[in-house]
Amino acid sequence: MKRCFKITATILCLFILTGCWDQKIYEKIGFILEVGIEKGNERDLLVTSIIPVIGGDSKSATDLLMVEANSMMQAIDTNNRLSSKLLLGGKIQQILFSEETAEKGINNIMNVINRDTQNPLLAYVAVVEGSPRDLMKSELQFKNKPRPGIYVNQLIKADIQHSYIPNTKIYNFDIDSFKKGKDPIAPLLKLRRDGIEAIGSALFSGDKMVGKIGVRETKLLTAMQNKTMEELRIHFDEMQEVGKPGLGEHNMSAGLNVSKRKITVELKNNKPVINVLVNFDASVNEFRWNNLDDKSVKKKAEEVMSKEIKASGYQTLKYAQKVGSDPLGIGEIVRTKYNSYWKSVNWKEAYKNAEIHFDTYVSIKDIGDIK
């Protein structure tokens, strides 16, 4: 009886239960690693894709697809017709936009990418000074670099660690670009003769690029956002004020760790007054030999470093304010604290006219003495 029951149950399971087989053979799939988007010569978009060749004769073989189209979906369809393999975007490492495309706004393009559940939201968003196509074509020629697509990804990750560029992935950009009181920033890359260099950050207002800053300014902005991943290496060029330097001893390099960060906003005469404070603990990495063990020299060095960082930080904030980018989320603070004022003004215009201050103090904690 038990045996009959087991047989009957097995047969019923065969009819009742269903299954699926979603088999994907690697050799028949094209995994897109990197996508570049810029203005085409004849159409609105030129989309470049890097796809590693799996199962080819060379372990480093790479396919480079370039198509012009009037929309992102049209480019995707054209790519599928050109490729001999099933193209999947689940392994995309980064999406590179030209400055010209970024200045026109990229949310419509990002929207198409976001709608496909196979595309990863953890891919990096970056802007290229120049042509993404030229940068990606050059990747194929770098014999001493990692595989195309992987090389740029490793470069971005390493430079984020040092705070040379911001950590901006698709979901970060989407969230900040749709916030009413905060704007996104993205890594800025440039092609060199023998490699690719991270040169700073692209500033956005909403989804439109409105300006760019260098590596030093990006480091300070990262500190203001409280997003540093390790100590900031800053080089100071005006240290001749400290002591009596000899030949070639005008410079100092120091690692900075944020010891205090505070952003406050007040309304005075119906005008926002923004105060940003970031203090640092410094570890001197390079300076003239054993000169900082003198307390008066150390104090002077702290004052000079503080003065230089204060000037750089203030200029960075004023530039962001001038171009209409709010990467610190000042608008979010105003919306929360002064909601009635927020509703009564156009924040983009009010932000540009706000009074802004930046202050800092650098305290040297480690001079690296060898006694």
Side-chain angles (χ1 to χ4, degrees):
M1 187 68 180
K2 289 184 179 180
R3 185 177 180 184
C4 290
F5 176 78
K6 289 180 180 179
I7 294 173
T8 303
T10 303
I11 295 173
L12 287 173
C13 287
L14 293 175
F15 286 100
I16 296 174
L17 299 180
T18 59
C20 59
W21 184 267
D22 189 19
Q23 185 185 44
K24 289 182 173 65
I25 301 173
Y26 288 151
E27 288 79 4
K28 295 182 179 180
I29 294 175
F31 293 103
I32 302 173
L33 291 183
E34 189 172 27
V35 177
I37 302 170
E38 60 196 286
K39 188 180 185 303
N41 293 324
E42 298 179 358
R43 299 191 178 185
D44 293 339
L45 297 176
L46 169 62
V47 179
T48 308
S49 304
I50 280 182
I51 305 161
V53 177
I54 299 174
D57 295 333
S58 173
K59 290 184 178 180
S60 60
T62 304
D63 193 8
L64 188 72
L65 293 181
M66 293 179 290
V67 299
E68 288 199 20
N70 289 324
S71 69
M72 195 63 192
M73 280 304 304
Q74 194 178 71
I76 292 172
D77 288 340
T78 304
N79 263 339
N80 286 328
R81 293 199 303 272
L82 289 172
S83 177
S84 61
K85 297 182 177 182
L86 173 65
L87 295 182
L88 296 178
K91 295 297 182 181
I92 293 176
Q93 305 294 297
Q94 54 271 335
I95 302 173
L96 309 178
F97 292 93
S98 68
E99 288 183 278
E100 184 179 7
T101 301
E103 287 168 358
K104 293 179 179 179
I106 62 175
N107 270 348
N108 286 338
I109 296 172
M110 299 283 284
N111 182 43
V112 174
I113 295 170
N114 291 338
R115 284 174 179 269
D116 189 344
T117 56
Q118 294 187 37
N119 295 331
L121 295 179
L122 295 178
Y124 291 108
V125 177
V127 176
V128 175
E129 190 176 90
S131 167
R133 174 194 58 186
D134 293 344
L135 182 144
M136 294 166 72
K137 286 176 67 177
S138 297
E139 284 187 74
L140 304 179
Q141 311 302 321
F142 297 146
K143 303 301 181 183
N144 61 336
K145 307 293 185 186
R147 190 171 197 149
I150 301 299
Y151 165 46
V152 174
N153 185 259
Q154 292 179 351
L155 174 77
I156 290 175
K157 284 184 177 180
D159 287 343
I160 288 172
Q161 191 71 29
H162 295 297
S163 298
Y164 297 150
I165 54 178
N167 184 4
T168 305
K169 298 180 180 179
I170 290 177
Y171 76 92
N172 299 127
F173 189 94
D174 288 345
I175 292 172
D176 288 346
S177 67
F178 284 106
K179 278 184 178 179
K180 294 182 179 180
K182 188 178 182 184
D183 293 310
I185 58 176
L188 186 63
L189 308 178
K190 185 175 183 177
L191 175 65
R192 300 294 188 187
R193 185 181 66 178
D194 55 350
I196 298 167
E197 181 184 4
I199 60 173
S201 302
L203 302 180
F204 284 77
S205 177
D207 71 322
K208 294 180 174 65
M209 179 180 167
V210 292
K212 52 187 176 182
I213 57 176
V215 168
R216 182 189 179 96
E217 293 75 20
T218 299
K219 288 181 179 181
L220 294 178
L221 189 59
T222 303
M224 295 178 206
Q225 293 177 317
N226 203 25
K227 291 183 177 180
T228 56
M229 299 183 71
E230 58 181 35
E231 70 174 19
L232 306 177
R233 185 72 55 81
I234 302 289
H235 306 288
F236 300 91
D237 301 325
E238 303 298 331
M239 302 305 291
Q240 62 265 31
E241 297 181 33
V242 182
K244 296 180 180 180
L247 182 64
E249 294 182 336
H250 291 171
N251 303 326
M252 174 189 282
S253 295
L256 304 180
N257 290 299
V258 176
S259 61
K260 182 179 181 180
R261 168 191 174 269
K262 187 176 183 181
I263 300 175
T264 60
V265 181
E266 297 178 355
L267 282 182
K268 292 184 179 180
N269 299 322
N270 210 39
K271 180 180 179 181
V273 178
I274 303 164
N275 296 286
V276 180
L277 169 69
V278 184
N279 289 342
F280 297 95
D281 289 336
S283 175
V284 177
N285 305 124
E286 180 182 9
F287 196 47
R288 63 188 72 99
W289 184 263
N290 275 348
N291 205 10
L292 290 175
D293 53 359
D294 185 318
K295 290 184 178 180
S296 62
V297 175
K298 179 183 175 183
K299 183 178 180 181
K300 183 63 177 177
E302 290 174 338
E303 291 173 353
V304 173
M305 293 165 70
S306 300
K307 180 181 177 182
E308 188 170 333
I309 290 179
K310 182 176 180 178
S312 295
Y314 177 72
Q315 290 170 5
T316 301
L317 290 176
K318 289 298 290 183
Y319 175 74
Q321 185 185 30
K322 178 182 176 181
V323 299
S325 179
D326 183 8
L328 295 185
I330 303 298
E332 285 284 287
I333 299 174
V334 173
R335 186 174 66 88
T336 302
K337 190 175 181 181
Y338 304 106
N339 193 254
S340 298
Y341 170 80
W342 168 268
K343 291 178 178 178
S344 68
V345 298
N346 179 335
W347 172 245
K348 288 293 184 183
E349 294 302 319
Y351 172 64
K352 286 186 177 182
N353 296 315
E355 184 181 329
I356 195 164
H357 304 278
F358 176 73
D359 201 7
T360 186
Y361 186 75
V362 178
S363 177
I364 296 176
K365 298 298 184 182
D366 180 14
I367 61 175
D369 275 343
I370 301 176
K371 298 277 187 177

